[in-house]
Amino acid sequence: MAERITPRSTDHSQWYLDVIREAGLADYGPVRGTMVIRPYGYAIWERIQQGLDGMFKATGHQNAYFPMFIPMSFLEKEKQHVEGFAPELAVVTIGGGKTLEEPLVVRPTSETIINHMFSTWIQSYRDLPLLINQWCNVVRWELRTRPFLRTLEFLWQEGHTAHATAEEAQEETLRMLEVYRSFAHDEAAVPVVAGRKTEREKFAGADASYTIEALLGDGKALQSGTSHNLGQNFARAFHTQYLDTNNTLQHVWQTSWGLSTRFIGAIILTHGDDSGLRLPPRLAPIQVVIVPIYRDDAGKAAVMAAVDELRAALGTSVRLHVDDRDERPGFKFTEWEIKGVPLRIEIGPRDVEQGVVTVARRDDGSKTTVPRADLPGRIGALLDAVQDGLYAQASAFVADNTHAADDEASFTAALARGGFVRVLWAGGSEDEAAIQEAHGATIRCLPFEQPDAPGKCFYTGKETSTVALFARAY
RNA sequence: CGGGGCGUGGCGCAGUCCGGUAGCGCGCAGCGUUUGGGACGCUGAGGCCGGAGGUUCGAAUCCUCUCGCCCCGACCA
């Protein structure tokens, strides 16, 4: 049997594409740079949606939906915004066979159209804060695409809020970044570094941008979720104003924050191995798969009786799938490993005879024997163990691939090893641009966790205590 | 936008240099044997060779034009 998944060490990029294909996550669409998310991949997205949506609701947000078509003139109202997005806009110029009066932009993000509506909804300080989230698709005409990581169209959620004060907006910005951080950590078992973006890297139209940055298996960083403090930039452009308690007209203070199907790419690239996908149990569409093993009809009856009993005992406590297809066991083992199912339970004649089941863990490949009657009581702990195992492996990887540098020579050396490079930083945007030109690396963020150990900037030599994380990025 | 690769049954490819009845593996369907780490046998279905022109008695193959996709690099969630 030919190997269907290229080993990571041979060609990491090819490995990534092989896993997506073999695990049935996605297919290429007929148009360059587009992707079809297949049911198994979409099920992961649904898990992500469910988890995040609950967290948004718990923090007081409501879902709504805004149109995909945005008048071109809206984009042009905020200078930084249009400059940032102009190169990657898809624009509709014909509708119903007629050239349109005004071209329509297919939303690359919805700040403008949402402000247009907010400006009509918000009159008074009593209307604030306004906390809205939208689940939708957006389009950015990228040149270089990769499934999940960068496609012309992708799915995401975008939160948009309006507040009475700058302080409230800043609190909201950081609150939602923390939602992303804890989601990545607790649900996806993806370790991330939370921090602030530099001026150069921030969102077009924001006062400040914050990010969670993951470090993926090939040593490159991935911006996995972002939260922006928009200040009053869009409020001024769209006259989004309210009357305060002194009957004075004020511009609102705003935030926006987003997490996309790119996050599925982060999961694949954080946890995957040469056998395929490895999914964190909390996000896995199928947490446990049962593979019955038998030789003949009589054996099958005995095994399936045990399977049915176990299925009934587990009930709805886990997302369970029984693979009763007419295929050989080895085939099924391999297939479910490719799909990254956290736990596989094998039940064969020997297990039935001894009243046990064989449990295989996807995080470490181990196989153990568990009395069948004990399994329902232990399944939760087993899933937690896989979740923890994946997180431990991922965070050890980040630790092993984060290096400090204190001058350009050690910076170059650290970058060559891949991963995050921690430096003291006092440079400006021009310095950052020069470093990107020379080394292909950018500042991923200025981490919130700052050790407060003053020293010299590795690049400019100026005194500073600011730590920056550099990396090559997707 | 630069560099490279590729378009031939559902998928992966050979055939193209050197024109002559379109082939292989996987997958798929049926039957049988199998089943504790990607099984095997037999039978079968399925392709106007990306598209358009041209050369030729004859084009997957040669010529011209064109469309598309993938990978790598610069820009980007």
Side-chain angles (χ1 to χ4, degrees):
Chain A
M1 182 64 65
E3 280 305 321
R4 291 174 180 169
I5 298 179
T6 306
R8 283 177 299 175
S9 55
T10 304
D11 183 343
H12 200 278
S13 178
Q14 191 57 52
W15 166 85
Y16 176 72
L17 298 168
D18 289 347
V19 168
I20 288 170
R21 186 188 64 244
E22 292 299 320
L25 297 178
D27 244 340
Y28 293 109
V31 174
R32 175 195 72 84
T34 63
M35 166 180 76
V36 175
I37 304 177
R38 301 181 65 181
Y40 193 62
Y42 199 80
I44 297 172
W45 180 238
E46 287 178 316
R47 296 291 314 157
I48 293 171
Q49 284 184 302
Q50 244 177 61
L52 284 176
D53 204 61
M55 295 169 91
F56 297 157
K57 303 275 171 62
T59 44
H61 302 84
Q62 292 182 294
N63 285 329
Y65 185 80
F66 298 83
M68 173 172 67
F69 296 122
I70 301 176
M72 180 62 107
S73 56
F74 280 23
L75 270 291
E76 289 160 354
K77 289 188 185 197
E78 216 290 333
K79 189 165 173 290
Q80 300 296 322
H81 194 61
V82 70
E83 281 177 9
F85 280 103
E88 52 191 58
L89 293 179
V91 181
V92 178
T93 57
I94 298 174
K98 288 182 183 165
T99 299
L100 300 174
E101 290 279 317
E102 179 179 357
L104 299 176
V105 171
V106 181
R107 66 177 161 227
T109 179
S110 302
E111 274 75 7
T112 57
I113 193 162
I114 286 180
N115 261 275
H116 174 78
M117 298 313 299
F118 275 16
S119 68
T120 73
W121 295 348
I122 296 168
Q123 316 279 331
S124 154
Y125 71 93
R126 295 181 212 272
D127 298 324
L128 299 175
L130 183 53
L131 309 174
I132 297 291
N133 178 65
Q134 141 162 289
W135 290 96
C136 67
N137 59 341
V138 286
V139 169
R140 298 181 188 179
W141 215 261
E142 303 288 352
L143 297 175
R144 172 107 167 74
T145 59
R146 293 161 70 81
F148 292 112
L149 297 176
R150 184 168 299 104
T151 46
L152 293 198
E153 177 190 8
F154 56 94
L155 305 182
W156 76 345
Q157 56 69 217
E158 47 178 326
H160 295 270
T161 69
H163 307 264
T165 67
E167 292 70 33
E168 278 181 50
Q170 178 65 9
E171 278 171 30
E172 169 78 2
T173 306
L174 297 181
R175 179 183 303 119
M176 299 322 287
L177 190 78
E178 173 56 20
V179 164
Y180 292 151
R181 194 208 58 78
S182 61
F183 176 80
H185 179 290
D186 300 338
E187 302 295 313
V190 171
V192 292
V193 178
R196 187 166 59 84
K197 284 287 184 189
T198 59
E199 283 299 300
R200 189 159 179 276
E201 295 279 328
K202 77 178 186 190
F203 177 75
D207 276 358
S209 287
Y210 301 85
T211 178
I212 53 170
E213 294 284 327
L215 187 64
L216 307 180
D218 58 351
K220 287 164 90 172
L222 183 76
Q223 179 173 313
S224 303
T226 48
S227 186
H228 313 292
N229 187 332
L230 303 176
Q232 296 178 309
N233 300 329
F234 288 92
R236 289 205 188 88
F238 286 85
H239 310 295
T240 313
Q241 293 171 297
Y242 70 99
L243 280 173
D244 67 14
T245 52
N246 300 318
N247 202 35
T248 308
L249 213 46
Q250 305 278 1
H251 287 107
V252 299
W253 300 83
Q254 293 183 289
T255 80
S256 69
W257 26 275
L259 185 143
S260 73
T261 38
R262 166 182 270 195
F263 198 78
I264 295 173
I267 292 169
I268 299 167
L269 285 156
T270 296
H271 298 308
D273 65 13
D274 283 350
S275 301
L277 199 57
R278 295 193 302 173
L279 289 175
R282 298 211 182 100
L283 290 183
I286 298 171
Q287 295 174 304
V288 179
V289 64
I290 296 179
V291 177
I293 299 161
Y294 43 79
R295 289 179 175 278
D296 48 32
D297 285 350
K300 178 175 180 179
V303 165
M304 290 315 291
V307 168
D308 289 341
E309 184 196 302
L310 185 59
R311 177 175 14 205
L314 287 171
T316 55
S317 63
V318 293
R319 292 187 289 277
L320 178 71
H321 178 73
V322 176
D323 187 354
D324 57 2
R325 291 176 301 169
D326 185 20
E327 293 285 355
R328 296 164 70 87
F331 174 86
K332 296 179 182 178
F333 294 170
T334 307
E335 184 164 300
W336 293 111
E337 278 166 10
I338 292 172
K339 284 178 169 293
V341 173
L343 289 179
R344 180 181 70 243
I345 297 174
E346 305 169 14
I347 303 182
R350 293 202 301 268
D351 301 297
V352 172
E353 200 174 301
Q354 297 164 36
V356 300
V357 297
T358 301
V359 178
R361 282 173 58 165
R362 184 64 180 85
D363 63 319
D364 61 7
S366 66
K367 273 195 193 188
T368 52
T369 302
V370 176
R372 197 163 78 230
D374 293 357
L375 193 70
R378 289 175 58 180
I379 196 86
L382 279 165
L383 288 169
D384 286 345
V386 175
Q387 183 89 19
D388 295 345
L390 288 175
Y391 185 81
Q393 287 177 37
S395 61
F397 179 85
V398 175
D400 290 346
N401 288 282
T402 301
H403 308 292
D406 52 16
D407 57 27
E408 205 166 344
S410 59
F411 179 82
T412 307
L415 212 52
R417 296 161 74 184
F420 287 132
V421 183
R422 260 185 114 82
V423 297
L424 283 167
W425 177 249
S429 293
E430 326 72 51
D431 301 313
E432 217 179 317
I435 290 170
Q436 179 171 10
E437 181 70 25
H439 301 280
T442 50
I443 295 181
R444 303 318 304 153
C445 71
L446 309 171
F448 289 143
E449 279 182 39
Q450 292 278 337
D452 192 30
K456 284 190 180 1
C457 170
F458 90 102
Y459 191 71
T460 65
K462 292 181 201 159
E463 282 292 323
T464 180
S465 63
T466 301
V467 168
L469 270 192
F470 274 87
R472 296 202 171 99
Y474 275 100

